[in-house]
Amino acid sequence: MFKRKARYEVRTAGDPVLSRAAAPVGMITDEIKQLAEKMFQSMVAFDGIGLAAPQYGESLRLIVIDVPLSDEEKAAGLTPFEESMYNSMPMALVNPEITAVSGDVAERDEGCLSVPEIYAPVVRPARVAFRAQLLSGTPIEGECGGLLGRCLQHEIDHLDGYLFTDRLSPEAARRIEGQFKRLVEFGKSHDFRRVTRK
Ligand code: ZN
């Protein structure tokens, strides 16, 4: 017996949907919940730790995340809020917003499902305060650092029309410039869609 493989896609750099500010989610309808479910499936199919609705072609303020907790971060200690977030993974966040950022910054290599095979260091605030709603409508609010804080900043950037490649130092930007241009050129002939079947 043959089983047809499911097809998943994400939009790639150069697609206008990725450089536009996404609209707030109004009511959390069944359509929004279905969209979140499809985004989860794509994120898993592409082995991502986060996906924003624009990457799925929907210009809405909705993200899904599945951030793994490293032994280092666990050993360094989590705040009760961070612990509750990690215990809730994977999770969908509706209208997520950064409300404050720490003065201290951290640098770490980032990648993105919409920017395949390109990795570069990004300097971001080490900790952020953020708020969002769960799909149930329950509001959540708290502070996160580490990979979780970084992932939230990266995904919320997508909702404002920015890719991590917009956040690079001039040196890092120069280093990936050729590769990025080739990615956009490739995207033009593939409708800015990256497809996988699983
Ligand atoms: Zn991304």
Side-chain angles (χ1 to χ4, degrees):
M1 288 294 283
F2 291 96
K3 186 174 171 284
R4 188 180 291 275
K5 289 185 170 183
R7 182 182 190 279
Y8 303 94
E9 64 175 46
V10 294
R11 304 300 175 93
T12 57
D15 190 316
V17 75
L18 291 175
S19 49
R20 121 178 20 125
V25 173
M27 295 264 287
I28 303 172
T29 58
D30 285 347
E31 284 76 17
I32 293 293
K33 290 176 188 171
Q34 282 158 17
L35 172 61
E37 181 55 36
K38 287 184 204 154
M39 287 166 57
F40 274 129
Q41 290 170 5
S42 276
M43 177 176 71
V44 170
F46 283 98
D47 293 322
I49 64 168
L51 190 75
Q55 295 179 277
Y56 195 76
E58 297 286 344
S59 196
L60 284 170
R61 304 190 81 83
L62 171 67
I63 65 174
V64 294
I65 56 172
D66 191 7
V67 181
L69 177 57
S70 68
D71 292 340
E72 291 93 322
E73 284 193 45
K74 198 172 180 179
L78 299 174
T79 64
F81 181 73
E82 287 169 332
E83 208 169 302
S84 74
M85 290 286 286
Y86 279 112
N87 288 336
S88 308
M89 298 289 170
M91 62 196 307
L93 298 170
V94 179
N95 297 327
E97 246 189 290
I98 305 273
T99 56
V101 299
S102 64
D104 57 323
V105 296
E107 185 182 77
R108 183 169 180 152
D109 269 3
E110 290 188 25
C112 178
L113 297 182
S114 296
V115 190
E117 287 165 40
I118 298 178
Y119 300 88
V122 183
V123 176
R124 295 190 188 270
R127 299 187 66 77
V128 296
F130 95 102
R131 64 174 173 225
Q133 268 177 290
L134 303 177
L135 281 180
S136 59
T138 306
I140 60 166
E141 185 162 14
E143 285 180 31
C144 298
L147 183 57
L148 176 56
R150 176 169 296 268
C151 180
L152 287 169
Q153 294 179 73
H154 176 118
E155 299 310 330
I156 293 171
D157 263 357
H158 277 301
L159 306 183
D160 294 324
Y162 297 107
L163 298 175
F164 80 91
T165 47
D166 297 317
R167 302 268 186 232
L168 303 181
S169 68
E171 295 73 27
R174 263 197 303 278
R175 212 157 50 230
I176 63 141
E177 196 182 2
Q179 223 184 334
F180 188 81
K181 275 187 181 154
R182 285 193 295 279
L183 170 67
V184 173
E185 279 309 306
F186 183 82
K188 282 180 189 164
S189 55
H190 290 77
D191 207 14
F192 299 110
R193 280 159 167 84
R194 183 182 168 204
V195 175
T196 190
R197 288 182 170 80
K198 280 197 174 168

